[in-house]
Amino acid sequence: MDIRRSIQGSVFALALLLAGCTGSDSDGPSPSSEQTAEPNPTPTEFEQSFADATTGEASAITATGERLGPRISSENVGISFETTDLADPRLDPGSSNLEEQLKSLGSPALRFGGNALDRRTFWTSKGEKPKQSEKTTITPDDIKRLKKLVDSTGSTVTLGIPLGIYDPARGADMAAHAVDILGDSLVGLAIGNEPNGYSVKDVPNGAVRGKGWNKEKYVKQLEAYAKAIHAKRPDAPIIGPDVYDGAWMDAFADSDVKNKTALSQHWYQLPECDSGQVPGRGPQAENLIDPLAKKSAKKNIGIGKEKADAADLPLWLEETGPTSCPGTNDTSLTNASALWAADYTLYAAQLGVERMAMHSMLGACNGGAPMSLICDPADHGQQSDTFVPRPNMLGLRLVVPSIGGTFTKTSVKGGGNTSAYTVSKDKGKTLVTTIINANDAADVGGNPVTLKMPSGFSVDKASQVYGPSNDAKSATKVIPANPLPDSIPYSGPTKTGSASASASPGADDNELNIDIAGSSVTVFIMRKQ
């Protein structure tokens, strides 16, 4: 399901942005990062803030250089918009700070689709007016504006072609203009959005097909659109079916559509809107960071991966997010959503997802879609040229240093609700370990952690996203990437005769002993000396 409208939220007061990496293999700072607050003076060392004394269970995390196979690319960190956002002049890099916000995610995958594609989008290259007043007109000029944005960010794009009103010729015209204008930046055309829900009436203008609509009729119309598109542009890349249902994935994969480029899946972590069960899959913040979330992700993404593998296609998670339920601002504003965004993105990439986009919109912080990565702090109904990040976007920024890496074997012993991922980069000379400490900072303060590294490695820099608790709202902050200080807080057990608890890792045991704040995501960049 997609983002619902008319949901109340609140304006964010967010702090620092991560000095992370671009979409390349480098580990330098992201260019042109927008900052809503800066430390004074600017820190030169990595220094955490603890909500309370460190009382959490100790953990031992072992990072190795043993590669597992899956990689994480810039396309694993992405953002999905409603198609109607194409008409927003703020997509132009010179009209807002959207470009800078996107660059803070490296070169993120961009996707335009959502419920608005089939219900509120009207394409024309001839200056026609839509017959329905609720339609937003999209023209070649809008795609040219998008081209400016992707040229600046280095992003790739997937674009939806409306199928709500059956018109293959109009769809082919839109596709041809997209291919010509976007060029190599365009990696996929999706014909329709969630066609398995075309007879559903619980979204605005929801039912675009009658009761007899089924996957067989979908395939017939899909093939007609693809044939019309390929008659104009034979190499146009087609993706689909942009659904969760496995049977519709089979229908797309088995269709006669040519140049199928990827199998696209939609899935939201917490879809059971009426459930209050914890742990469970209802829209409660606790459910985002409960271990059950990973089990659900593995099971449901596994459906798409199985279908994609059978069709010999990559799996793209084109629309995803914490929850699609209405009225979930309290969940979406929590620090837990930042922890989840980082953990989920890394986990999905490790499962084999090759492209992923978190569903968002260019709406107001107060009254706009709650799960959106970014929002406009202007009063609802008005617009500004300055977008601000939400906690889930801050969490995604902690994934950026891993881009370009191959996952390696990493183990976690103890530590309660702790996860860790490691990738190898720079021909094995750089390791990046991301630790998600989902133990509540309000309960434990932090956890003593022993990070074991391969021989010859030492920590070069560390960065962190954290909050005073998992459910703290609008309080997520970032410690930018910096070298470790000479004195490192550590309250856990030490080996007899080893270096002091606060020392940096010794040359002999390649260990870092450090207390890590609860309710945090921490990234350690390790270099081989």
Side-chain angles (χ1 to χ4, degrees):
M1 293 187 289
D2 292 307
I3 288 180
R4 310 293 176 87
R5 298 296 194 269
S6 301
I7 303 173
Q8 294 302 310
S10 63
V11 177
F12 274 84
L14 294 175
L16 313 167
L17 302 189
L18 174 64
C21 306
T22 64
S24 68
D25 248 1
S26 68
D27 298 300
S30 297
S32 306
S33 292
E34 173 71 13
Q35 297 190 350
T36 56
E38 294 183 4
N40 188 19
T42 302
T44 58
E45 294 181 339
F46 175 75
E47 184 176 357
Q48 299 178 75
S49 177
F50 291 87
D52 205 342
T54 301
T55 60
E57 177 188 350
S59 68
I61 298 174
T62 302
T64 75
E66 182 182 342
R67 300 191 176 204
L68 298 176
R71 289 176 53 83
I72 181 165
S73 75
S74 60
E75 294 190 333
N76 286 99
V77 180
I79 182 167
S80 164
F81 293 106
E82 293 288 326
T83 310
T84 47
D85 284 331
L86 286 169
D88 195 317
R90 295 174 297 175
L91 286 179
D92 190 309
S95 298
S96 74
N97 72 335
L98 178 62
E99 170 199 19
E100 287 81 4
Q101 292 289 6
L102 293 177
K103 283 182 176 180
S104 73
L105 298 180
S107 298
L110 299 180
R111 177 255 185 177
F112 292 86
N115 273 337
L117 175 67
D118 293 310
R119 297 166 178 87
R120 296 187 296 279
T121 301
F122 176 76
W123 164 265
T124 181
S125 61
K126 301 176 181 179
E128 305 154 282
K129 300 294 183 183
K131 296 180 180 179
Q132 298 88 354
S133 61
E134 73 277 4
K135 297 283 187 177
T136 296
T137 300
I138 306 298
T139 71
D141 285 343
D142 297 315
I143 299 181
K144 290 176 183 177
R145 182 171 48 240
L146 174 62
K147 174 63 171 172
K148 292 181 183 179
L149 182 66
V150 300
D151 282 350
S152 176
T153 61
S155 299
T156 57
V157 178
T158 54
L159 180 67
I161 303 298
L163 182 61
I165 295 177
Y166 182 73
D167 192 341
R170 189 175 298 275
D173 184 62
M174 182 178 182
H177 278 85
V179 169
D180 293 346
I181 295 169
L182 294 173
D184 291 342
S185 299
L186 180 69
V187 295
L189 294 167
I191 299 170
N193 175 79
E194 299 182 359
N196 59 329
Y198 276 7
S199 58
V200 175
K201 299 179 180 180
D202 64 350
V203 294
N205 305 308
V208 295
R209 294 290 188 277
K211 292 182 179 179
W213 178 251
N214 54 35
K215 59 183 183 294
E216 287 76 24
K217 292 182 179 179
Y218 158 69
V219 168
K220 185 176 180 179
Q221 295 189 6
L222 166 74
E223 291 175 344
Y225 266 67
K227 184 177 180 179
I229 290 170
H230 287 141
K232 287 179 171 289
R233 301 294 182 272
D235 295 330
I238 307 297
I239 64 172
D242 276 353
V243 301
Y244 164 72
D245 192 311
W248 287 69
M249 296 180 200
D250 286 335
F252 172 84
D254 294 340
S255 71
D256 290 334
V257 169
K258 299 185 184 305
N259 205 19
K260 290 191 282 282
T261 303
L263 190 75
S264 56
Q265 182 180 13
H266 291 185
W267 186 70
Y268 287 90
Q269 183 71 68
L270 304 178
E272 297 179 4
C273 301
D274 296 328
S275 174
Q277 183 177 347
V278 177
R281 296 189 68 200
Q284 290 76 37
E286 303 96 313
N287 288 336
L288 285 174
I289 46 87
D290 190 272
L292 178 63
K294 270 204 184 72
K295 294 180 181 178
S296 297
K298 184 177 182 179
K299 175 183 177 182
N300 291 284
I301 293 175
I303 294 172
K305 189 66 170 69
E306 179 184 357
K307 303 296 184 182
D309 288 348
D312 196 25
L313 292 170
L315 176 63
W316 291 358
L317 206 54
E318 283 284 283
E319 184 180 309
T320 190
T323 172
S324 57
C325 301
T328 53
N329 258 341
D330 283 351
T331 296
S332 300
L333 302 188
T334 62
N335 189 58
S337 70
L339 310 186
W340 170 82
D343 199 349
Y344 174 60
T345 300
L346 289 163
Y347 188 63
Q350 198 173 58
L351 290 176
V353 173
E354 296 185 26
R355 182 183 175 95
M356 188 161 81
M358 300 276 186
H359 201 43
S360 304
M361 62 174 288
L362 300 179
C365 296
N366 187 8
M371 80 178 82
S372 183
L373 295 178
I374 59 172
C375 59
D376 183 349
D379 291 339
H380 189 50
Q382 300 182 26
Q383 288 186 350
S384 74
D385 61 0
T386 302
F387 293 98
V388 296
R390 282 177 159 161
N392 46 0
M393 187 167 190
L394 295 182
L396 276 186
R397 287 177 179 158
L398 268 290
V399 178
V400 176
S402 295
I403 288 174
T406 300
F407 286 98
T408 67
K409 185 177 181 181
T410 304
S411 64
V412 179
K413 294 184 179 179
N417 194 0
T418 300
S419 303
Y421 305 86
T422 301
V423 299
S424 174
K425 302 172 64 173
D426 191 26
K427 298 181 179 180
K429 296 178 182 178
T430 300
L431 295 177
V432 180
T433 293
T434 304
I435 300 173
I436 296 93
N437 185 356
N439 297 290
D440 202 316
D443 295 334
V444 304
N447 296 70
V449 174
T450 296
L451 175 60
K452 300 180 180 180
M453 297 166 271
S455 177
F457 280 87
S458 62
V459 174
D460 179 49
K461 291 182 179 179
S463 56
Q464 186 181 83
V465 160
Y466 72 99
S469 67
N470 287 341
D471 60 1
K473 301 178 183 67
S474 305
T476 302
K477 298 181 180 179
V478 176
I479 301 172
N482 271 303
L484 297 177
D486 291 334
S487 180
I488 302 171
Y490 180 68
S491 58
T494 58
K495 297 178 182 178
T496 302
S498 69
S500 64
S502 61
S504 296
D508 294 331
D509 54 15
N510 293 101
E511 289 185 359
L512 170 66
N513 294 317
I514 185 172
D515 287 340
I516 294 182
S519 305
S520 72
V521 181
T522 309
V523 173
F524 294 101
I525 297 175
M526 297 163 281
R527 311 284 190 188
K528 191 171 186 178
Q529 303 304 312

